[in-house]
Amino acid sequence: MAANIRFKLNTGAEIPALGLGTWKSEPGEVARAVSHAISVGYRHIDTALCYGNEHEVGQGIREALATGKVKREELFVTTKLWCSFHARVEEGLEESLKNLGLDYLDLFLMHWPLAMNPKGNHNIFPKLPDGSRDIDHSHSHVTTWKSMEKLLDTGRVKAIGVSNYSVPYLEELLPQVSVVPAVNQIENHPSLPQQEIVDFCKKAGIHITAYSPLGSTGSPLFTAEPIVAVAQKRGVSPATILLSWHIARGSSVLAKSVTPARIEANRTDLIHLDDSDMATIAQYCDQLAATKGFQRFVFPPFGVNFGFPDKL
Ligand SMILES: NC(=O)C1=CN([C@@H]2O[C@H](COP(=O)(O)OP(=O)(O)OC[C@H]3O[C@@H](n4cnc5c(N)ncnc54)[C@H](OP(=O)(O)O)[C@@H]3O)[C@@H](O)[C@H]2O)C=CC1
Ligand SMILES: O=C[C@H](O)[C@@H](O)[C@@H](O)[C@H](O)C(=O)O
């Protein structure tokens, strides 16, 4: 069953193919979404300090554990070091663990390869007087990674990884690491296949986790003609095709929902896409590449070139 697939990380641990996303899951909704997801079989939960909901995510996890039907060690919990914590990595981890009410994380990611001023006018989103983000350009993401490597000795994180890393950023990082990131979490869907990063990471032994696989809130992907065609052929929803595509590619995938029926369907309806389904979607990706028609839904206003070819 596609829903039970797990992928091996370079640490030897396994990551469940499908995770519940929690970005923009509102207070009052997200604890219920998390406990419901676990009760219907999800074993992988993704959050981040900057989502402001780790506390409720932790509440949802505790509710699920309290049923006695699932143990902490069966869950895979990921959170992310926020940009304003690059110069205080241990503090960032401890803050997240405290919020979540957990003793350890299965995966701790550097959210973006960019530091923001830790002493700015806001703990999470410091800004300059002109309204732009208060970036600390003197602090390298490689320095942050070296601090993250040290966390492995504390036993408080089972694995460390990165997020939003392009090929040029990985090329800068990898020759300087002692620990190769276990994961690179990137925006990924047929309208932004990022094949060059997927291929690079495969060679480097870095697992890809796809975010915004449904095209995030208000997505146009559900009506993209080739996705609809494959969905009709296989008798499932476009959402199912969009999620199953990553698993066929060897990536794990995060689907955010606070709607119980969608949380269930996003897991139970997953299918194995066959060669012909994959070829139809590949053709769509090729066509977008040829017309420079890729769509990136998540590109926060950092004002920095992250090395993604569609955003140079
Ligand atoms: N590392 C990073 O920088 C980033 C990480 N992420 C992670 O990835 C997760 C997923 O990405 P996200 O951007 O949230 O967006 P998704 O692509 O998961 O889309 C979420 C949207 O799709 C809706 N939806 C979910 N399931 C279905 C369905 N079966 N049919 C129709 N609509 C559906 C949800 O609505 P509803 O909830 O109302 O059901 C919500 O509006 C995030 O939540 C976060 O955990 C995301 C962005 C950046
Ligand atoms: O994880 C999701 C996204 O990366 C999100 O954390 C950022 O887009 C953030 O809201 C920002 O504005 O920088």
Side-chain angles (χ1 to χ4, degrees):
M1 201 176 131
N4 290 328
I5 290 176
R6 290 166 170 263
F7 294 108
K8 193 121 193 162
L9 300 178
N10 63 17
T11 58
E14 290 184 340
I15 186 168
L18 175 70
L20 182 78
T22 63
W23 185 32
K24 298 186 182 164
S25 296
E26 299 292 337
E29 291 183 326
V30 64
R32 204 159 7 110
V34 169
S35 64
H36 182 66
I38 297 172
S39 77
V40 299
Y42 284 66
R43 294 293 176 263
H44 174 179
I45 309 292
D46 181 85
T47 184
L49 182 78
C50 88
Y51 300 168
N53 62 12
E54 285 178 315
H55 184 77
E56 255 203 61
V57 169
Q59 191 187 324
I61 291 173
R62 277 192 299 284
E63 279 168 23
L65 295 178
T67 64
K69 292 186 182 145
V70 59
K71 298 194 185 78
R72 168 67 185 93
E73 56 271 28
E74 293 172 65
L75 299 178
F76 191 100
V77 181
T78 302
T79 195
K80 313 184 192 89
L81 178 83
W82 184 242
C83 305
S84 53
F85 285 81
H86 277 218
R88 40 181 177 148
V89 164
E90 205 159 342
E91 195 183 320
L93 170 65
E94 289 307 321
E95 172 105 8
S96 284
L97 286 171
K98 188 177 72 187
N99 291 340
L100 285 161
L102 296 177
D103 297 333
Y104 71 90
L105 297 172
D106 296 277
L107 179 63
F108 193 43
L109 301 176
M110 190 192 314
H111 203 148
W112 290 87
L114 177 85
M116 291 207 284
N117 184 357
K119 296 191 176 125
N121 66 356
H122 190 273
N123 195 30
I124 305 292
F125 289 111
K127 293 214 174 112
L128 295 173
D130 68 1
S132 64
R133 291 187 174 194
D134 190 354
I135 312 286
D136 180 359
H137 292 282
S138 69
H139 185 101
S140 161
H141 63 104
V142 179
T143 306
T144 309
W145 182 256
K146 287 181 186 297
S147 306
M148 289 182 69
E149 286 177 338
K150 295 196 185 108
L151 297 178
L152 288 167
D153 296 332
T154 67
R156 305 279 270 170
V157 293
K158 302 268 184 210
I160 52 173
V162 296
S163 177
N164 296 301
Y165 263 67
S166 63
V167 171
Y169 271 69
L170 286 167
E171 282 173 338
E172 186 187 6
L173 179 72
L174 291 186
Q176 306 186 61
V177 302
S178 305
V179 178
V180 174
V183 166
N184 184 14
Q185 188 183 115
I186 54 169
E187 180 172 341
N188 221 211
H189 41 73
S191 291
L192 193 69
Q194 307 219 79
Q195 195 62 45
E196 74 290 351
I197 305 179
V198 173
D199 291 343
F200 184 98
C201 285
K202 191 168 187 189
K203 277 201 198 119
I206 302 171
H207 175 77
I208 293 284
T209 299
Y211 77 63
S212 302
L214 304 172
S216 214
T217 313
S219 172
L221 298 182
F222 296 129
T223 52
E225 198 270 322
I227 305 300
V228 172
V230 176
Q232 282 172 350
K233 186 178 119 204
R234 297 298 305 268
V236 295
S237 70
T240 293
I241 299 300
L242 291 167
L243 298 176
S244 302
W245 184 65
H246 297 284
I247 300 176
R249 277 177 121 198
S251 303
S252 50
V253 56
L254 303 171
K256 177 264 174 182
S257 179
V258 290
T259 314
R262 287 175 175 171
I263 291 172
E264 287 162 44
N266 287 347
R267 180 172 186 277
T268 52
D269 294 354
L270 288 172
I271 56 169
H272 289 285
L273 294 182
D274 63 24
D275 289 349
S276 123
D277 301 328
M278 291 303 279
T280 305
I281 299 173
Q283 223 175 0
Y284 173 59
C285 297
D286 291 346
Q287 198 188 325
L288 291 176
T291 56
K292 295 201 189 323
F294 289 138
Q295 280 181 292
R296 184 179 287 274
F297 299 109
V298 181
F299 202 70
F302 287 113
V304 163
N305 178 351
F306 286 106
F308 297 115
D310 58 299
K311 283 285 179 189
L312 290 178

